[in-house]
Amino acid sequence: MIYLADTANIEELKDLFYYFPIAGVTTNPTIIGAEKKPLSLILPQIIDIVGDKRMLHVQMISNIAEDMVREAKTYKARFGLGDNFFAKIPVSKEGYRAMPMLKDAGINVTATAIFTQQQALLAARAGADWVAPYVNRLDNISSHGIEVVKHIVDNIREFKLHTKVLAASFKTVDQVHRVSMVGSHAATIGHEIIERLSSHPMTDMSLEWFERDGKDLYDIEIND
Ligand code: G3P
């Protein structure tokens, strides 16, 4: 499983990309809204951080398939985006219709706002490169986010689909742990949860012990 950053906060992104092997960034209108800055200002800053090797998943805000395609083409052209750009398309009826149109236009697709295995399978059949099930939002309505992710992963294996799972919507480290254990290909996670899953109090304690025990004994001069 690879890790993506589910934030448009520039300070958070700089921090995450500096320290961790983050494979890309995902955004949606809510994430952009949290920064209280327009997309035209925020996207170039995100692109600077992501570069052209890591993935950039940007959600379309249009509701009609033809408009979604126009929107995706506009972003791609305006910001000179290449194969690392993925148009995030919600699995509405128009969204399913837009997916093959985008693929025909040479634009990668991430199907988003997925809550069931059937929505994911339909999106995969419509050509989506990634499908993004919302784990915590499912858990929050007494449903089972991890089980949905597992069923989607199983379908992909069973039907030999090229689509991959980008699990999204996390509120706990345990949710991330569990989606990795059921074989999700990727997880997109906020800054706080990535910080939490990367650390452990016993690691900190062990480092303190190493420092104490090795003090004055590491006497070999380190070369430049
Ligand atoms: O990537 C989808 C994600 O942003 C939704 O997360 O935390 O709003 O449920 P959340």
Side-chain angles (χ1 to χ4, degrees):
M1 187 179 84
I2 56 173
Y3 298 89
L4 282 83
D6 200 26
T7 174
N9 182 284
I10 300 305
E11 292 316 308
E12 288 184 355
L13 286 173
K14 281 183 182 162
D15 184 65
L16 292 175
F17 277 86
Y18 187 70
Y19 289 108
F20 302 117
I22 304 295
V25 171
T26 55
T27 68
N28 63 35
T30 308
I31 288 174
I32 298 293
E35 301 312 309
K36 306 205 185 319
K37 275 188 257 166
L39 194 64
S40 61
L41 286 184
I42 222 162
L43 213 43
Q45 291 180 284
I46 297 176
I47 290 166
D48 266 358
I49 296 170
V50 172
D52 56 8
K53 304 274 181 298
R54 292 172 291 212
M55 292 185 283
L56 176 65
H57 300 249
V58 180
Q59 190 159 328
M60 303 302 107
I61 202 153
S62 308
N63 294 321
I64 304 297
E66 285 78 6
D67 296 338
M68 293 176 189
V69 176
R70 267 197 292 275
E71 192 182 341
K73 282 182 176 171
T74 302
Y75 298 156
K76 244 192 128 169
R78 173 158 172 180
F79 299 106
L81 297 166
D83 272 352
N84 65 330
F85 170 69
F86 292 78
K88 278 181 79 184
I89 305 293
V91 288
S92 61
K93 280 167 93 170
E94 287 293 323
Y96 291 118
R97 193 165 74 85
M99 290 173 201
M101 292 164 63
L102 283 157
K103 293 301 294 178
D104 285 348
I107 296 174
N108 300 317
V109 173
T110 299
T112 193
I114 289 178
F115 289 86
T116 70
Q117 158 274 338
Q118 280 296 307
Q119 288 177 313
L121 184 54
L122 207 49
R125 292 300 184 197
D129 300 282
W130 291 93
V131 288
Y134 278 13
V135 175
N136 188 65
R137 291 193 195 189
L138 277 162
D139 290 350
N140 259 349
I141 53 165
S142 305
S143 190
H144 304 284
I146 313 300
E147 202 172 289
V148 170
V149 171
K150 183 183 182 326
H151 288 164
I152 299 170
V153 170
D154 289 350
N155 265 184
I156 285 171
R157 283 207 194 107
E158 175 73 18
F159 300 132
K160 299 185 174 40
L161 303 170
H162 83 276
T163 307
K164 292 181 177 165
V165 180
L166 171 56
S169 176
F170 293 101
K171 283 294 166 289
T172 69
V173 169
D174 189 57
Q175 289 167 331
V176 181
H177 161 71
R178 286 171 191 272
V179 297
S180 70
M181 296 312 291
V182 298
S184 188
H185 306 90
T188 185
I189 316 165
H191 181 269
E192 190 193 341
I193 303 291
I194 295 180
E195 281 278 352
R196 285 184 188 214
L197 64 80
S198 68
S199 62
H200 195 284
M202 282 303 292
T203 305
D204 298 340
M205 195 179 287
S206 300
L207 291 184
E208 274 174 34
W209 291 343
F210 288 144
E211 206 173 311
R212 178 199 64 201
D213 296 344
K215 198 168 180 295
D216 302 329
L217 301 176
Y218 274 53
D219 58 347
I220 300 166
E221 198 173 325
I222 306 297
N223 299 325
D224 278 339

